Amino acid sequence: MVAAVLAGLSLLSLLTCGYLAWGSRRGSAGEAPGNLLGEEPAAGAPRSQPHIIFILADDQGFRDVGYHGSEIRTPTLDKLAAEGVKLENYYVQPMCTPSRSQLITGKYQIHTGLQHSIIRPTQPNCLPLDNVTLPQKLKEVGYSTHMVGKWHLGFYRRECMPTQRGFDSFFGSLLGSGDYYTHFKCDSPGICGYDLYENNNAAWDHDNGIYSTQMYTQKVQQILASHNPRKPIFLYIAYQAVHSPLQAPGRYFEHYRSINNINRRRYAAMLACLDEAINNVTLALRKYGYYENSIIIYSSDNGGQPMAGGSNWPLRGSKGTYWEGGIRAVGFVHSPLLKNKGSVCKELVHITDWFPTLITLAEGQLDEDIQLDGYDVWETISEGRRSPRVDILHNIDPIYTKAKNGSWAAGYGIWNTAIQSAIRVNHWKLLTGNPGYSDWVPPQAFSNAGPNRWHNERVSWSAGKTVWLFNITADPYERVDLSARHPEVVKQLLRRLSQFNKTAVPVRYPPKDPRSNPKLNGGVWGPWFKEDEKKKKSDKSKGANKQKKIKNKKKAN
């Protein structure tokens, strides 16, 4: 019977329909400036390299888009997705830094050392400098590369900054969150600073109290207005919304005053503003002559956080967990270049796949010596072909809080089930260790003025449980644990985990550095590690050792 269900589900991936006819609705979430170039330029010589626009939302829940049944209106996202390809078997990582690192390198966390948590503001840590990035590869084949929005891949050294990692320009924040208007962020009491950058310097001149979603959209419009559309551009727009703190301009609340839960109401207003901003980006692409040769990719970086207004219903769990609610994301591709417009893709796609997919589309070269974890999935998305991907390593985190009852015995001598890990192979998903908050949070959980967990659905696991197995294709909501029924499948996936673990690099998660305090850097969050200081100390140490050797030699003589 399961086979019949799976066969029926696979047929849904072949649906196709119409073509784009975008309306002219305008909003104030970054109004387009006057058309400096007149009407859309006439088509010139054929341009084979497409313009690539990657839009990454922050903390958007799986349910929080109109076409997934949300009460929050997202007409722009709904229209773009309906006339493009909806990715309905699309996975990211459960938190900010991991998803961003995998997007920009095409590698799993275990292969960059970022397996654990996120990069904290005070940590001397960043995306390892020996990793080639997506913008670097696109620059090699003539792309102009620009980033607007949230970086969150480390900044303790200048070499870690976006402009040193392949972007021609950067305008945005370095940290994981901050005030949407003042752009200030406190990591802990007394450790506070300003976090808005233009390229390598604090953008004090742009600090006009503008809401970040609108400010970033205006910057995108300026970039598009000043660039020649006959030359390929890569535009990475990493919006701060809808991450906490929950802030939005007042006029976006007008449709959501009936939502009693204050967090959900604020979240809805933030998402409404984001939807309008993306409409204005799309209008700018048309206005300045990019649209017909463009590929727009939209993705959330992880699941929503119910305590901060996000909803992943009917999926289980939330941001920060390896349940489907933490890692299965809203995603779609919109482009005139798609062959099967208006379709739904239910083939397996992961955020690491964008690296090889986009480089190939840009006519770039994938170096043989770069061990990628992503696959080129353009034909899967555009033509409805089978995905080359059959598995996803969601993660192996060796330093996350160990499950108290986990053991090698529980893992059949193959794997220590105290370790937090998760893997998907074909239809099967295995979790070990402590997978995180596991409730289902239905819409009625947001019906009261404050968070109400009485509406949540919970499962009380038997004592000592540290292994779960689900058939995700047949049971996408993770309601039926099959680990006891299929021990051979459990063993097979544990062996696959063990194989992946043999390729892992050491975890990079250093303690905080007191020199990171913005008070020591003009009140700004920014690079604090000086290579010269390290060299001077090293030279001083070498000099001292040399003098010591000379002194000892004299004594010996």
Side-chain angles (χ1 to χ4, degrees), residues 83-104:
E83 296 168 346
V85 177
K86 296 174 184 175
L87 306 178
E88 295 299 343
N89 199 5
Y90 173 56
Y91 288 86
V92 293
Q93 297 308 112
M95 287 184 288
C96 309
T97 298
S99 283
R100 290 158 208 272
S101 69
Q102 297 198 30
L103 163 66
I104 209 169

Side-chain angles (χ1 to χ4, degrees), residues 172-403:
S173 63
L174 298 175
L175 277 62
S177 64
D179 191 281
Y180 280 71
Y181 293 96
T182 67
H183 318 298
F184 267 82
K185 167 70 176 181
C186 289
D187 185 59
S188 59
I191 311 296
C192 304
Y194 183 70
D195 181 31
L196 181 64
Y197 268 74
E198 184 162 35
N199 298 324
N200 296 319
N201 300 303
W204 296 107
D205 294 342
H206 295 274
D207 186 14
N208 301 314
I210 303 174
Y211 186 66
S212 76
T213 301
Q214 298 169 327
M215 179 176 63
Y216 290 158
T217 303
Q218 290 170 6
K219 185 65 175 179
V220 169
Q221 292 164 334
Q222 290 167 13
I223 292 170
L224 293 173
S226 61
H227 182 75
N228 181 352
R230 289 182 176 81
K231 295 182 179 178
I233 188 171
F234 170 53
L235 192 50
Y236 173 36
I237 313 169
Y239 281 107
Q240 181 182 354
V242 284
H243 196 293
S244 60
L246 301 178
Q247 299 170 293
R251 75 179 190 86
Y252 295 98
F253 285 86
E254 52 190 55
H255 293 299
Y256 303 106
R257 301 203 184 279
S258 61
I259 298 177
N260 292 326
N261 184 302
I262 186 63
N263 286 349
R264 182 67 175 171
R265 191 190 317 149
R266 288 171 177 164
Y267 178 96
M270 294 168 75
L271 187 55
C273 182
L274 177 63
D275 185 80
E276 186 181 87
I278 293 167
N279 178 60
N280 287 325
V281 169
T282 310
L283 290 172
L285 289 170
R286 282 186 167 278
K287 185 174 187 178
Y288 299 119
Y290 297 88
Y291 177 77
E292 294 301 329
N293 190 38
S294 69
I295 297 171
I296 302 170
I297 301 164
Y298 183 86
S299 171
S300 180
D301 66 340
N302 46 249
Q305 174 56 268
M307 298 302 287
S311 176
N312 303 307
W313 180 260
L315 303 181
R316 182 179 192 173
S318 66
K319 171 185 177 177
T321 76
Y322 292 97
W323 302 107
E324 294 290 285
I327 56 178
R328 190 167 168 184
V330 173
F332 62 79
V333 178
H334 178 97
S335 172
L337 308 178
L338 290 165
K339 292 187 178 178
N340 286 353
K341 300 178 185 71
S343 65
V344 176
C345 175
K346 293 204 171 184
E347 291 293 309
L348 201 58
V349 178
H350 185 248
I351 195 167
T352 53
D353 297 333
W354 298 121
F355 185 97
T357 301
L358 297 180
I359 291 172
T360 303
L361 282 170
E363 302 175 3
Q365 294 294 318
L366 294 171
D367 302 327
E368 291 182 6
D369 58 336
I370 299 179
Q371 299 293 317
L372 293 179
D373 296 305
Y375 295 84
D376 179 357
V377 292
W378 181 249
E379 290 183 348
T380 301
I381 294 168
S382 179
E383 302 175 28
R385 298 191 184 186
R386 295 301 302 270
S387 174
R389 177 178 286 283
V390 296
D391 59 15
I392 297 174
L393 175 66
H394 293 305
N395 197 24
I396 298 170
D397 187 343
I399 64 175
Y400 189 79
T401 305
K402 303 292 188 295

Side-chain angles (χ1 to χ4, degrees), residues 425-440:
V425 178
N426 293 316
H427 305 298
W428 297 103
K429 177 182 176 182
L430 181 83
L431 302 98
T432 72
N434 179 1
Y437 176 83
S438 62
D439 286 6
W440 292 272

